[in-house]
Amino acid sequence: MSGSLDVFLARRWEDLVTLTLHHLAVVALSLAIATILGVLVGLLVWDKNVPRTAALTAAGIAITIPSLALLALLSPLLGLGWAPTVVSLVFYSLLPIVRNTVVGLREVPAHLIESARGMGMTPTKTLLAIQLPLAWPVIVTGIRVAAQLTVGIAAIAAYVAGPGLGLYIFKGLSSLGSVNALNFTLTGTVCVVLLALLIDGAFVLIARYSTSRGLRV
């Protein structure tokens, strides 16, 4: 028989807030690193056939590796806690960011680039002033997808003592049959879902207010 959920939450709400903040922190850190790396890789390969194919293929293969297996491989090298969690989250976040950066840049009409260069703009200035602003809605969509991936995988990182709400989920699963097993698992799972929805909503606003008015659908 499970204990009362409202009593469970009343006794553990401070712990739950702390775990939620830790979960959000590790997601934010990992996503920031992945965004920098992913956009940089996309900028380097978007107009080069072989490097572009190699980068997308490598990222695609990487994301097929089971998260538990990757965490198990990283923990002997990096120990437990934040380090293997951040590395694994960055690892899984790269594909949507690299892919969308490449797609966004390749979708910029060629005549706009030619016009910019015809006006004397350097390739770097063309990239920053024309290509990146036009590609941004697609890029931010990739970052948004990566954010959802990291929220879910961060919960699994509790397997290697990673920070966040996964601790409650694993605690509940490892104590099946105990009074609060269901409460731990249900609370951790619901909080992860709510956090994912909150982050997704934040990215909707980011995309809206960081995109030029003329490009908004």
Side-chain angles (χ1 to χ4, degrees):
M1 181 177 179
S2 62
S4 172
L5 181 59
D6 56 346
V7 173
F8 175 87
L9 293 175
R11 291 177 176 175
R12 293 175 171 82
W13 70 269
E14 290 184 349
D15 187 36
L16 192 57
V17 169
T18 299
L19 291 175
T20 301
L21 292 176
H22 287 173
H23 201 107
L24 181 61
V26 77
V27 166
L29 174 61
S30 304
L31 192 62
I33 296 172
T35 298
I36 293 171
L37 293 177
V39 171
L40 180 59
V41 171
L43 290 173
L44 291 174
V45 306
W46 74 274
D47 59 344
K48 302 175 181 67
N49 289 332
V50 175
R52 180 177 68 246
T53 301
L56 293 177
T57 300
I61 292 173
I63 206 169
T64 65
I65 299 174
S67 53
L68 281 177
L70 179 61
L71 289 165
L73 291 171
L74 290 174
S75 57
L77 300 173
L78 302 175
L80 301 176
W82 280 74
T85 301
V86 171
V87 171
S88 64
L89 293 183
V90 170
F91 188 79
Y92 287 113
S93 298
L94 285 175
L95 174 61
I97 298 174
V98 173
R99 180 183 59 204
N100 279 41
T101 300
V102 168
V103 170
L105 290 171
R106 286 175 60 81
E107 286 183 350
V108 176
H111 70 272
L112 293 180
I113 300 175
E114 293 173 2
S115 297
R117 292 180 178 172
M119 295 170 60
M121 295 177 68
T122 64
T124 300
K125 190 172 183 179
T126 301
L127 176 66
L128 295 177
I130 305 295
Q131 292 170 270
L132 274 179
L134 291 175
W136 176 245
V138 179
I139 295 173
V140 78
T141 298
I143 301 172
R144 181 180 171 187
V145 171
Q148 297 305 301
L149 283 173
T150 58
V151 172
I153 297 173
I156 300 173
Y159 175 70
V160 291
L165 295 161
L167 176 64
Y168 267 30
I169 298 174
F170 274 74
K171 192 170 185 177
L173 293 175
S174 64
S175 60
L176 289 176
S178 66
V179 173
N180 282 313
L182 179 60
N183 289 334
F184 275 115
T185 305
L186 181 62
T187 300
T189 302
V190 170
C191 286
V192 168
V193 172
L194 291 176
L195 186 60
L197 291 174
L198 180 64
I199 292 174
D200 193 59
F203 270 99
V204 171
L205 295 177
I206 290 171
R208 177 174 179 80
Y209 291 106
S210 64
T211 300
S212 172
R213 187 183 298 271
L215 296 177
R216 296 179 191 170
V217 177

